[in-house]
C-alpha cells in the first residue's frame, strides 16, 4: 500500500468541506476523484500534498513519495522548454530529460521559450515535469484542461505506464481517462458534509 | 540548490526580469538629492554617506516583492514547497539571488555615484565595505517581509511599511561605519555590529521566513 | 483545580471579562483623577523646571505603557503560537491600537514639555528617537493585521512579525544609543534627570501610573471582547451559509 487516508476532514476558508474521507491506494492503482465544482477536490489534493493542514484525520504516506501538479504548472515563460525541465530535474536529482521530452513529444520544441508555447503545449510541459520528479505518487489536479483528444490519450498512456511501473496516481478530473481498468473512481459527494460544520478554529467561538 | 540560484539569476537577467531597474532607481534618487538640497558641495559631501546608504536601502526595498511574487503567481512556489529541497534552503537561495542581482551591484555602483555627492576621498573604501557587509542583511530582512506579504493584493506598500522599520539598525550601523571612516574615528565597533546583524539574519531569519511562507501557502 | 488557561476559551473569557471590566474602568479612572488632580494642583513647582514639570503625570505613565503594551503583545503572540488560544491572539491585536496611542501621547507630551525646557519641539535624543521608532514598529504591526483577510493567518503572521520585530526594536534601541553619541556630542539633552524626582512628585505619579495601567487593561479587555464578538459573528454567518 502506497498511500492510506483515514477519517480525513478537509476544510477551506473556515468551513469543513469533506469529512470521513477514507481510501487506500495500492501500487499500480489510480484513484479518480469526481464530484461537482467546489466540493473540495483541490483542497483534498493540496492536503495530501502537504500544502494544507487537515482539519482532522490521518494520511499515511512514505516520505518524498508525492508530487503535485496543479492548474498552474510552475512554468517560467522566460526559460526554454529544456531549461524548465532541467531545473526540476536538478531539484529532484534526476536526469531523464530526453525520456520526459519524448514522452510528451516536446523534442521539437526543446529550445523554444516556454512563453511561446500554446496552452496545450504548456500543459504537456507541466506534465513532463512529473516524469522528472521520479516520485511514485502523482497528485494531478485537472490534468486534461486545455489538452486536445490526442494529448488526453497520451496522458492516459503515460499514467498507465507509470502505474505499470509500480507508481500510483490520484487524479481530480471530469474527463474520462482510460487506464486499462486500473482506476477506481471515488465520488467525493459521499464525503461532503451535510451538517453545517465549521473548522475547529471557528467552532471555538461558539 | 545551485540549480535554483542559476535559474533565479537567469530569470533576473532575461527580458522582463527587472535586473538593472534597482540600479537605475538608485541613480535617479542620488541625482534628485542635490536638486532638492542645493548644489553646495560642502553640504552634499557631509550628507553623502547617509544619502548613499538610504538610496541603496530604498533600491533594495523596491525589488523585494519580486522575490516570491513571480514564483507564487505561476505555481512554482507550491511545487518548491513539496519538493525535496528544505524550504529554509530555498529561502536562503532566493535571498542570495536577490543579493547578487541587487545588493552586490549597488556595492559596486555606490562608490561611483558617490562622486556626484562629493563623498570625501577617504570615504569610498568605508562606504563599499559597509554596503558589502550590510546589504546581505537587507536582502534577508526583505525576504522575510516578502514572505509576510505573499499573495496580498497591493502588498507592495504594506511590504515597505513592514520592512523599513526592520531596516533601521542595519542602516544606522552601516552609515555610521562610513561616517566614522570619513571622520577618521574608530570604525571597529559599528563594523562588528553590522557584520553581526548580517550573520544573525543569515542564521535566524530563513527559519522565520519559511514558517511565514508555510502559513501563507496553506 | 481550575487552570488559568480555562479563560482562554472565548466564551468563558466573555463572561469573566464582563464582570472584571467595570472594576477596571472604575478604579482606573479614580486613580487617574486622583493622580492628575493631586499632581497638577497640590504639588509645588520644581525649582528648576517650574510648573512644566507637571506634565510628567501624563508623560511618564504613557511612555511606560507604550513599552509595556508591546511587551504584552509579544507575550500574547508567543502564547498564540505555542498554545493556539484565540483569546491570546486577539488580545495582542487589541493591545496594538492602545499601545500606539500611548506612544503618540508620550511623544506629544514630550514635545510640549521640550518646547519650554529646551526651546525646541524636537531633538534627536536617543530616547525620543527610540519612541519614534517604536511608533513605526506599531504601524507595521497594525498594517499587517489590516492587510490580511483570513483571521487565523493574520494572527499567525502578526505573531511572527511581533517576535522578529521585538528583536529588531531592541537592536534599534542600541543602534540609536550608539548613533547619537560620539560624533554628536553636545546634543544630548538627556531625560535621565526625571528619574530622581522628589517624593512630593513621586506619590501622585504612582496614582497616575496605576490609573494608566488599569485603563490600558480595561481598553484591551474591551478591544478583545469586540474582536471575539466579531469572530463569533463570522462563525455564525459561516454556519448560516452552510445550512
Amino acid at each position: 500500500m502506497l498511500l492510506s487516508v483515514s477519517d480525513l476532514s478537509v476544510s477551506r476558508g473556515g468551513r469543513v468541506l469533506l469529512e470521513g474521507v477514507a481510501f487506500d491506494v495500492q501500487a499500480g492503482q489510480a484513484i479518480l476523484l469526481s464530484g461537482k465544482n467546489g466540493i473540495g477536490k483541490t483542497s483534498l489534493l493540496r492536503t495530501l500534498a502537504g500544502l494544507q493542514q487537515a482539519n482532522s484525520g490521518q494520511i499515511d504516506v512514505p516520505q518524498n513519495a508525492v508530487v503535485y501538479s496543479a492548474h498552474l504548472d510552475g512554468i517560467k515563460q522566460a526559460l526554454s522548454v529544456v531549461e524548465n525541465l532541467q531545473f526540476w530535474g536538478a531539484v529532484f536529482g534526476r536526469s531523464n530529460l530526453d525520456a520526459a521530452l519524448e514522452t510528451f513529444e516536446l523534442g521539437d520544441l526543446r529550445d523554444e521559450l516556454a512563453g511561446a508555447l500554446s496552452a496545450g503545449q504548456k500543459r504537456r510541459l507541466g506534465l513532463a515535469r512529473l516524469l522528472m520528479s521520479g516520485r511514485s505518487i502523482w497528485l494531478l489536479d485537472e490534468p486534461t484542461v486545455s489538452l486536445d483528444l490526442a494529448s488526453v490519450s497520451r496522458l492516459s498512456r503515460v499514467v498507465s505506464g507509470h502505474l505499470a511501473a509500480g507508481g500510483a496516481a490520484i487524479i481530480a478530473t471530469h474527463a474520462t481517462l482510460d487506464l486499462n481498468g486500473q482506476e477506481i473512481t471515488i465520488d467525493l459527494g459521499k464525503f461532503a458534509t451535510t451538517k453545517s460544520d465549521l473548522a475547529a478554529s471557528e467552532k471555538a467561538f461558539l | 540548490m545551485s540549480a535554483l540560484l542559476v535559474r533565479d539569476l537567469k530569470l533576473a537577467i532575461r527580458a522582463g526580469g527587472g535586473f538593472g531597474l534597482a540600479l537605475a532607481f538608485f541613480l535617479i534618487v542620488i541625482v534628485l538629492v542635490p536638486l532638492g538640497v542645493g548644489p553646495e558641495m560642502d553640504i552634499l559631501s557631509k550628507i553623502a554617506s547617509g544619502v548613499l546608504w538610504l538610496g541603496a536601502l530604498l533600491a533594495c526595498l523596491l525589488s523585494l516583492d519580486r522575490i516570491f511574487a513571480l514564483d507564487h503567481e505561476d505555481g512554482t512556489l507550491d511545487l518548491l514547497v513539496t519538493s525535496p529541497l528544505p524550504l529554509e534552503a530555498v529561502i536562503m537561495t532566493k535571498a542570495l539571488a536577490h543579493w547578487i542581482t541587487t545588493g552586490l551591484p549597488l556595492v559596486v555602483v555606490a562608490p561611483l555615484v558617490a562622486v556626484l555627492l562629493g563623498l570625501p576621498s577617504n570615504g569610498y573604501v568605508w562606504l563599499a565595505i559597509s554596503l558589502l557587509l550590510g546589504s546581505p542583511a537587507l536582502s534577508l530582512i526583505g525576504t522575510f517581509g516578502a514572505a509576510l506579504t505573499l499573495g496580498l493584493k497591493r502588498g507592495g506598500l504594506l511590504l515597505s511599511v513592514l520592512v523599513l522599520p526592520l531596516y533601521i539598525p542595519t542602516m544606522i550601523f552601516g552609515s555610521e561605519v562610513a561616517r566614522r571612516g570619513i571622520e577618521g574615528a574608530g570604525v571597529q565597533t559599528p563594523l562588528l555590529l553590522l557584520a553581526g546583524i548580517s550573520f544573525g539574519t543569515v542564521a535566524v531569519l530563513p527559519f522565520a521566513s519559511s514558517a511565514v511562507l508555510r502559513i501563507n501557502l496553506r | 483545580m481550575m487552570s488559568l488557561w480555562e479563560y482562554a476559551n472565548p466564551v468563558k473569557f466573555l463572561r469573566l471579562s464582563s464582570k472584571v471590566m467595570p472594576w477596571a474602568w472604575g478604579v482606573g479612572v479614580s486613580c487617574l483623577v486622583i493622580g492628575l488632580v493631586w499632581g497638577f494642583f497640590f504639588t509645588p513647582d520644581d525649582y528648576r523646571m517650574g510648573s512644566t514639570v507637571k506634565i510628567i503625570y501624563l508623560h511618564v505613565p504613557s511612555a511606560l505603557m507604550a513599552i509595556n503594551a508591546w511587551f504584552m503583545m509579544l507575550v500574547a503572540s508567543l502564547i498564540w503560537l505555542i498554545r493556539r488560544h484565540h483569546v491570546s491572539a486577539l488580545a495582542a491585536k487589541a493591545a496594538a491600537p492602545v499601545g500606539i496611542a500611548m506612544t503618540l501621547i508620550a511623544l506629544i507630551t514630550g514635545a510640549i514639555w521640550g518646547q519650554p525646557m529646551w526651546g525646541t519641539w524636537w531633538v534627536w535624543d536617543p530616547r525620543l528617537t527610540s519612541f519614534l521608532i517604536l511608533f513605526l514598529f506599531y504601524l507595521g504591526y497594525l498594517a499587517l493585521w489590516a492587510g490580511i483577510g483570513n483571521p487565523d493567518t493574520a494572527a499567525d503572521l502578526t505573531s511572527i512579525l511581533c517576535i522578529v520585530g521585538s528583536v529588531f526594536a531592541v537592536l534599534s534601541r542600541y543602534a540609536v544609543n550608539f548613533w547619537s553619541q560620539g560624533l554628536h556630542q553636545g546634543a544630548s539633552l538627556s531625560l535621565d534627570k526625571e528619574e530622581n524626582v522628589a517624593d512630593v512628585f513621586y506619590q501622585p505619579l504612582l496614582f497616575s501610573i496605576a490609573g494608566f495601567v488599569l485603563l490600558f487593561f480595561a481598553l484591551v479587555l474591551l478591544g478583545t471582547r469586540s474582536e471575539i464578538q466579531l469572530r463569533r459573528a463570522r462563525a455564525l454567518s459561516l454556519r448560516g451559509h452552510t445550512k
Side-chain angles (χ1 to χ4, degrees), chain B:
Chain B
M1 216 57 61
S2 60
L4 180 61
L5 182 63
V6 170
R7 189 203 67 145
D8 269 18
L9 296 181
K10 259 188 202 164
L11 285 173
I13 295 165
R14 290 204 182 158
F19 178 76
L21 278 181
L23 283 182
F25 174 83
F26 177 66
L27 182 68
I28 293 170
V29 168
I30 300 305
V31 170
L32 286 180
V33 169
L35 299 182
V37 174
E40 288 87 9
M41 263 321 199
D42 50 335
I43 293 178
L44 288 174
S45 76
K46 237 180 226 153
I47 59 169
S49 61
V51 167
L52 287 161
W53 248 93
L54 192 62
L57 187 137
L58 291 177
C60 200
L61 182 78
L62 212 68
S63 51
L64 289 179
D65 62 330
R66 305 183 69 87
I67 296 179
F68 293 120
L70 299 178
D71 279 348
H72 183 55
E73 280 163 20
D74 62 18
T76 306
L77 213 50
D78 280 347
L79 303 174
L80 278 174
V81 170
T82 53
S83 80
L85 304 178
L87 190 53
E88 290 78 10
V90 169
I91 285 163
M92 275 297 294
T93 311
K94 289 200 135 301
L96 179 62
H98 177 262
W99 181 72
I100 292 175
T101 54
T102 310
L104 201 53
L106 284 173
V107 175
V108 176
V109 168
L112 302 177
V113 179
V115 176
L116 294 177
L117 298 179
L119 186 75
S121 56
N122 58 351
Y124 287 84
V125 180
W126 293 116
L127 178 72
I129 289 177
S130 66
L131 280 173
L132 190 65
L133 273 179
S135 52
L138 299 184
S139 286
L140 279 152
I141 296 167
T143 307
F144 173 68
L148 277 175
T149 53
L150 183 77
L152 292 181
K153 292 192 185 70
R154 296 182 297 279
L157 207 52
L158 177 60
L159 178 62
S160 314
V161 173
L162 295 181
V163 165
L164 282 177
L166 301 179
Y167 274 175
I168 289 171
T170 314
M171 192 187 106
I172 290 180
F173 290 128
S175 51
E176 193 73 18
V177 168
R179 267 203 342 235
R180 290 189 172 209
I182 292 164
E183 302 202 358
V187 293
Q188 196 189 4
T189 318
L191 206 59
L192 287 176
L193 287 165
L194 186 65
I197 289 178
S198 270
F199 284 121
T201 52
V202 168
V204 177
L205 273 186
F207 294 96
S209 304
S210 70
V212 163
L213 218 49
R214 286 212 173 86
I215 291 164
N216 260 331
L217 288 176
R218 79 180 175 213

Side-chain angles (χ1 to χ4, degrees), chain A residues 46 49 51-53 64 66 68-69 72-76 78-80 83 87-88 90-92 113 129 135, chain B residues 3-4 7 10-11 14-15 70-76 78-85 214 217-218:
Chain A
R46 286 180 67 85
L51 283 166
Q52 188 178 324
Q53 265 182 339
N64 290 341
V66 168
Y68 171 68
S69 161
L72 304 160
D73 288 321
I75 292 168
K76 289 292 169 197
L79 298 182
S80 71
E83 284 171 326
F87 167 65
W88 290 109
V91 166
F92 287 98
L113 287 187
R129 187 186 58 84
R135 294 204 160 169
Chain B
L4 180 61
R7 189 203 67 145
K10 259 188 202 164
L11 285 173
R14 290 204 182 158
L70 299 178
D71 279 348
H72 183 55
E73 280 163 20
D74 62 18
T76 306
D78 280 347
L79 303 174
L80 278 174
V81 170
T82 53
S83 80
L85 304 178
R214 286 212 173 86
L217 288 176
R218 79 180 175 213

